[in-house]
Amino acid sequence: DDALDSLVQEPIVIKRSFLAEHRAPYFTYRVTKELAKLAEVHGFNPEVDGLKVYTTLDTTYQTALDTSMNRHINTLQETSLKLGETQMMRRRYLADPKWGSKEKADSAFHANHVVQYGFVAIDQKTGGVLAHDGGRSKYFYDHVFQGKRQAGSTTKPFVYAVAMEMGLTPAHKEWDGPFVLYLSGNDTDRWTPKNWDSEYTDKDVTFRYGLSNSLNTIAVRVQSDHIGGPKPVAQLMHEMGITSDIPWVASLALGPYDVKPIEMVSAYTAFANGGVKTDPHIIQRVADKYGNTVYEANYPPKEVLNKKTAYLITSMLQSSVEAGTAGRIRYKSLVPSEIRVAAKTGTTNLNKDTWIIAYTPKFTAGLWVGIDNPHHYVGLYSRDIVEIMCDFIREVYKMHPEWEREEF
């Protein structure tokens, strides 16, 4: 069985010094935490029972993830440090007498301006986490499973999914131009959504074009004029597995809420899997020292979207790769057209958070990049991190050339 062959038995070691040197330290640390929870329920002791723990980790994916992340993280750090806004922040540190000296001020600035990330890949058929890296924290703060970050434009596919569920199509059109949205009966309570560059096409564009080019105006118009506001979007997102609070506000289409990357990437697996979602998990089976199964994962798949809707959203996100905000996947980083890819990028206000979520017929992966200190902005655009995802996809498919040309 191919699925069983891909499962890797991971040693369960609590010692943190060992974990820091482990091939997948965040994954291993997560296993220890999950195993402790399972032990309370199933009555075994991970430290003395001689357990064998079978995980969902696939070394092909983990190696690809580590390789792609290590290849680019220093460049991301250097790019962020060179930005004008970052240098202005550094000068404020140097001018602040509370640090005692310029050397201490500079040290504090660099300690607070560490570019962090959370990167995870999931098998959309099973929900198994194939690879996982929670960032660069020596304390194992996990930016995939623990950190909540603003979702930004990664929310937009859910808006269009509600529209597709209601019978609209990617060919429907809306006006891409400035408009005023009145939020209540008070004329002063109004909002003018703008595209990220404050530019407009000033013409009717299709929903496909709106999503693939991540136009804020079209996403907000779809939500306000076609699907009855933010409530059905929030409801669908919860049905698709997002447990974080989602506000029913007019700006919901632009992602003004905080969410864990594992929630967002897991929700996207339903788009990749014909509308069917299985909850993410990292432990597949636990056996005692005699080989008897004491725990086996049981996460039944759930249909959360109409199959046609999932197909249409996937098609629209493939357009993003071919001629939209994720176009660098094809034309800059050269993931060959034989590899079918759908993707959505996202940035938040002031570029505090940067995202890319991509999926192929085999896996769904997501990468968040940002800075933990809330007063520091990473300042990067999605285009700055797309190449990392491209490297990951290429590395995985290099090991499995037989997957090329496989359709969703």
Side-chain angles (χ1 to χ4, degrees):
D1 187 298
D2 290 339
L4 287 176
D5 288 342
S6 71
L7 297 177
V8 179
Q9 179 184 331
E10 289 290 314
I12 304 306
V13 182
I14 306 298
K15 221 167 136 185
R16 186 166 289 179
S17 61
F18 175 83
L19 287 173
E21 300 171 1
H22 196 270
R23 185 177 193 176
Y26 277 92
F27 187 93
T28 306
Y29 187 60
R30 192 73 199 169
V31 169
T32 66
K33 305 294 285 185
E34 293 293 323
L35 194 62
K37 294 178 182 177
L38 292 175
E40 293 180 3
V41 175
H42 297 278
F44 52 74
N45 188 329
E47 296 188 25
V48 300
D49 286 355
L51 302 173
K52 292 182 180 180
V53 181
Y54 299 86
T55 76
T56 59
L57 183 74
D58 187 311
T59 54
T60 296
Y61 288 87
Q62 189 65 46
T63 299
L65 188 153
D66 292 340
T67 299
S68 58
M69 203 68 236
N70 291 337
R71 188 178 292 155
H72 294 281
I73 186 60
N74 289 337
T75 300
L76 293 183
Q77 182 72 51
E78 292 168 7
T79 300
S80 182
L81 285 171
K82 289 178 181 177
L83 294 171
E85 295 87 346
T86 307
Q87 288 303 308
M88 287 178 60
M89 173 68 76
R90 180 171 176 267
R91 287 193 289 272
R92 287 197 289 271
Y93 270 77
L94 295 175
D96 192 334
K98 76 176 183 180
W99 301 111
S101 70
K102 290 190 180 301
E103 291 76 14
K104 290 181 179 178
D106 201 43
S107 178
F109 163 76
H110 282 91
N112 285 325
H113 199 87
V114 176
V115 174
Q116 287 287 357
Y117 61 89
F119 201 167
V120 65
I122 301 174
D123 181 340
Q124 56 244 27
K125 303 293 185 186
T126 68
V129 174
L130 300 166
H132 163 221
D133 189 349
R136 301 200 284 175
S137 170
K138 62 183 178 181
Y139 302 109
F140 287 99
Y141 179 78
D142 193 330
H143 294 87
V144 170
F145 283 92
Q146 292 175 278
K148 283 192 173 186
R149 306 295 167 176
Q150 197 170 97
S153 292
T154 58
T155 303
K156 289 173 183 172
F158 302 103
V159 177
Y160 289 92
V162 174
M164 301 300 111
E165 292 279 271
M166 292 182 174
L168 298 174
T169 75
H172 273 78
K173 291 185 176 182
E174 257 297 354
W175 177 259
D176 175 34
F179 68 99
V180 176
L181 193 65
Y182 292 91
L183 305 179
S184 68
N186 189 336
D187 285 350
T188 61
D189 189 14
R190 54 188 181 176
W191 174 46
T192 303
K194 297 180 180 180
N195 292 326
W196 72 273
D197 56 359
S198 297
E199 298 287 335
Y200 309 94
T201 62
D202 288 321
K203 62 182 182 182
D204 284 330
V205 300
T206 64
F207 286 7
R208 179 184 296 276
Y209 184 91
L211 179 56
S212 64
N213 289 277
S214 203
L215 298 181
N216 293 342
T217 52
I218 306 303
V220 174
R221 281 189 180 276
V222 171
Q223 180 180 275
S224 64
D225 298 349
H226 293 277
I227 63 174
K231 180 179 177 180
V233 179
Q235 290 175 329
L236 177 63
M237 294 175 73
H238 284 315
E239 289 171 12
M240 293 177 71
I242 293 177
T243 57
S244 294
D245 291 336
I246 301 173
W248 295 1
V249 294
S251 60
L252 175 57
L254 309 185
Y257 59 93
D258 292 342
V259 64
K260 296 176 183 177
I262 187 63
E263 295 176 69
M264 187 60 78
V265 178
S266 178
Y268 268 64
T269 63
F271 296 137
N273 192 38
V276 177
K277 179 183 177 294
T278 304
D279 288 343
H281 56 282
I282 62 173
I283 296 178
Q284 188 65 32
R285 176 173 171 256
V286 180
D288 63 20
K289 59 185 176 182
Y290 304 108
N292 301 312
T293 298
V294 294
Y295 167 79
E296 188 154 17
N298 180 24
Y299 295 92
K302 177 185 177 184
E303 184 175 329
V304 294
L305 278 177
N306 183 288
K307 187 175 182 178
K308 180 180 178 181
T309 296
Y311 171 81
L312 291 174
I313 295 298
T314 294
S315 175
M316 294 165 79
L317 294 180
Q318 285 182 284
S319 294
S320 178
V321 171
E322 302 302 333
T325 57
R328 284 180 172 233
I329 289 177
R330 284 281 186 253
Y331 303 112
K332 176 71 174 178
S333 301
L334 300 178
V335 172
S337 59
E338 290 80 9
I339 300 175
R340 310 299 191 238
V341 184
K344 183 71 191 80
T345 59
T347 53
T348 61
N349 286 341
L350 303 174
N351 292 43
K352 292 188 72 171
D353 304 278
T354 307
W355 295 76
I356 180 167
I357 302 176
Y359 56 92
T360 78
K362 290 296 184 181
F363 59 85
T364 303
L367 170 63
W368 164 88
V369 174
I371 290 177
D372 287 338
N373 189 300
H375 302 294
H376 287 244
Y377 303 156
V378 71
L380 300 173
Y381 289 91
S382 297
R383 62 173 178 260
D384 295 312
I385 69 171
V386 164
E387 195 166 340
I388 303 172
M389 182 64 72
C390 295
D391 281 2
F392 172 70
I393 293 170
R394 283 199 307 268
E395 290 291 332
V396 171
Y397 273 77
K398 189 186 299 181
M399 302 299 292
H400 293 281
E402 72 278 7
W403 291 352
E404 292 185 4
R405 299 186 184 279
E406 184 171 334
E407 301 290 348
F408 285 104

